[in-house]
């Protein structure tokens, strides 16, 4: 095993040009996993309040709670440096109180360093802590403990004046003795300047790639937190969904098909009609709120059929998205189709009188549609109430391309240069209160994960909206000036009084540009 990571290693890694890896943990098990993976430092963040304890901010987190979680993390950690957040109002009142509280985090919690938020306001406390032997990490930029003063979790140092103040704070914190500084939610050029100006390490979170290290909230990184996740977080897993699915499965009863017929009145597909797949499992939910699920398989091919008689209406089609493509079924009626993604197989939803069904499978689209057509139900169009959804402050209504064209004053042109297999899946009319926009969703009909969805949004406007990311850069789209945002793989430009935004997370800039330039050429059939 590598040797214990110490506070002095932060500076040494910076000098060697090696990146520092820091993640949060709040319990012994997660700490053990991160430690085993070789992270340099574990932050027992007061983010525990939001991602574990159910608070809306970090403000209610107490010293006792931080000691409790830090002690758990200490029990699971051997190599990584353990840094504990000093919670709100445990270091701001007097330096004596700051020392006493930091001392408790170390003596009772096993912390090896503490982190405090702020610049000039906390310098006295930082100096005193360092003087008495307590290593301190600073934290500048977005300060979650100041959320009520600032009025939200907002990006910071976005003006030259504020960037200068942040730089002065970083230099003052270095002078006061901190061994490293977290830079949260600031433009990457500001983070680069600060990183070059200080000799101690900077650890970024939403501050671009040029800090000396990065820190992330682990629960966001693995998709465990069931709440909003900042856009810069690279999610490696969607653990929350796995937990929900496993918990639902746990309560289900394994039954025979005859039990499914008797207890639900629903006639599951006869195994022979789903391309030779055999039924291997049927489960009934614990109670009326769940779904019946019948699974069919042959070798690696699988098809799951879920059936419910009582959608609660807040999630149309359960696992199938509201933007799924409407497809005709050979026996009559319609179904809604979604290609595979990294998280799920190809899916079909059928809304029928008295029941709703979904199928999920790795069979090709044509076989899946054939299985859907063999179901003893008639697929109906999506109920009107399901075609609406909220997107932040705006509403989006699913409509046909014809309706969209009739509803807006600008022409709706589809790109002609699309990747093979891609076509229009669905259209939404978006209303943000200042006139309608249109969003087109373009997908590969038979995709296996791959590129995912290409989204083209159009609305009347004569200039680009204000920049939202420090990483945005100017780019030429043919002869038109535009803007590129790499972390969203998004191009934006204005063409003849029409704002266009094109994004596709799976595409590189040159591929996006080719699609953008092709808009306005021959239109495929809508
Ligand atoms: O509390 C926390 O997890 C933090 C990180 C966001 C840096 O302070």
């Amino acid at each position: 095993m590598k040797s214990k990571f110490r506070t002095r290693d932060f500076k040494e890694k910076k000098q060697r040009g090696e990146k520092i890896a820091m993640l949060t943990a709040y319990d012994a098990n997660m700490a053990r996993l991160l430690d085993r993976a070789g992270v340099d430092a574990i932050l027992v963040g007061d983010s525990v309040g939001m991602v574990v304890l159910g608070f809306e901010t970090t403000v209610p987190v107490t010293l006792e709670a931080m000691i409790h979680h830090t002690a758990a993390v200490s029990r699971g950690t051997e190599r990584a440096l353990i840094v504990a957040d000093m919670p709100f109002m445990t270091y701001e009142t007097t330096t004596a109180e700051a020392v006493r509280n930091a001392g408790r985090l170390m003596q009772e919690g096993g912390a090896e360093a503490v982190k405090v938020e702020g610049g000039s306001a906390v310098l006295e406390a930082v100096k005193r802590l360092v003087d008495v032997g307590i290593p301190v990490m600073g934290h500048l930029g977005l300060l979650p403990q100041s959320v009520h003063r600032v009025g939200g979790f907002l990006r910071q140092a976005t003006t030259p004046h504020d960037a200068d103040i942040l730089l002065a704070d970083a230099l003052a914190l270095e002078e006061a003795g901190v061994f490293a500084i977290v830079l949260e939610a600031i433009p990457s050029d500001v983070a680069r300047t600060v990183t070059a100006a200080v000799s101690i390490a900077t650890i970024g979170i939403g501050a671009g790639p040029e800090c000396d290290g990065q820190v992330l909230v682990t629960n966001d990184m693995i998709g465990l937190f069931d709440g909003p996740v900042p856009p810069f977080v690279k999610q490696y897993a969607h653990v929350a969904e796995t937990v929900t699915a496993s918990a639902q499965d746990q309560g289900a009863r394994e039954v025979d098909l005859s039990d499914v017929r008797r207890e639900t009145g629903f006639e599951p597909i006869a195994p022979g009609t789903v391309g030779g797949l055999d039924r291997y499992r049927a489960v009934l939910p614990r109670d009326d709120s769940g779904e019946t699920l019948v699974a069919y398989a042959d070798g690696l091919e699988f098809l799951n059929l879920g059936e419910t008689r009582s959608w609660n209406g807040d999630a149309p089609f359960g696992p199938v998205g509201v933007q799924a493509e409407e497809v005709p079924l050979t026996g009559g009626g319609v179904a809604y189709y979604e290609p595979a993604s990294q998280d799920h197989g190809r899916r079909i939803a059928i809304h029928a009188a008295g029941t709703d069904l979904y199928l999920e499978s790795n069979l090709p689209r044509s076989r899946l549609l054939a299985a859907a057509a063999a179901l003893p139900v008639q697929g109906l169009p999506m109920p009107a109430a399901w075609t609406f959804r909220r997107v932040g402050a705006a509403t989006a209504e699913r409509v046909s391309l014809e309706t969209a064209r009739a509803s807006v004053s600008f022409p709706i042109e589809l790109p002609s240069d699309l990747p093979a297999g891609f076509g229009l899946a669905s259209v939404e009319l978006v209303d943000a209160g200042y006139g309608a926009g249109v969003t087109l969703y373009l997908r590969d009909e038979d995709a296996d994960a791959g590129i995912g969805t290409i989204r083209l949004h159009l609305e009347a406007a004569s200039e680009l909206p204000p920049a939202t990311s420090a990483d945005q850069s100017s780019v030429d789209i043919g002869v038109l000036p535009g803007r590129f945002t790499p972390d969203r793989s998004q191009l934006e430009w204005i063409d003849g009084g029409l704002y266009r935004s094109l994004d596709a997370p799976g595409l590189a800039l040159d591929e996006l540009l080719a699609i953008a330039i092709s808009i306005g050429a021959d239109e495929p059939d809508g």
Side-chain angles (χ1 to χ4, degrees), residues 401-413:
L401 184 59
E402 293 67 37
T403 306
R405 284 192 161 131
S407 310
V408 293
S409 55
F410 48 81
I412 301 176
E413 294 158 351

Side-chain angles (χ1 to χ4, degrees), residues 24 26 43 45-47 85 115 117 139 182 184 205 215 217:
T24 65
Y26 317 106
L43 173 66
D46 57 359
S47 48
D85 259 335
K115 175 162 80 62
E117 293 184 7
H139 185 152
V182 166
E184 181 165 359
I205 172 163
V215 58
V217 173

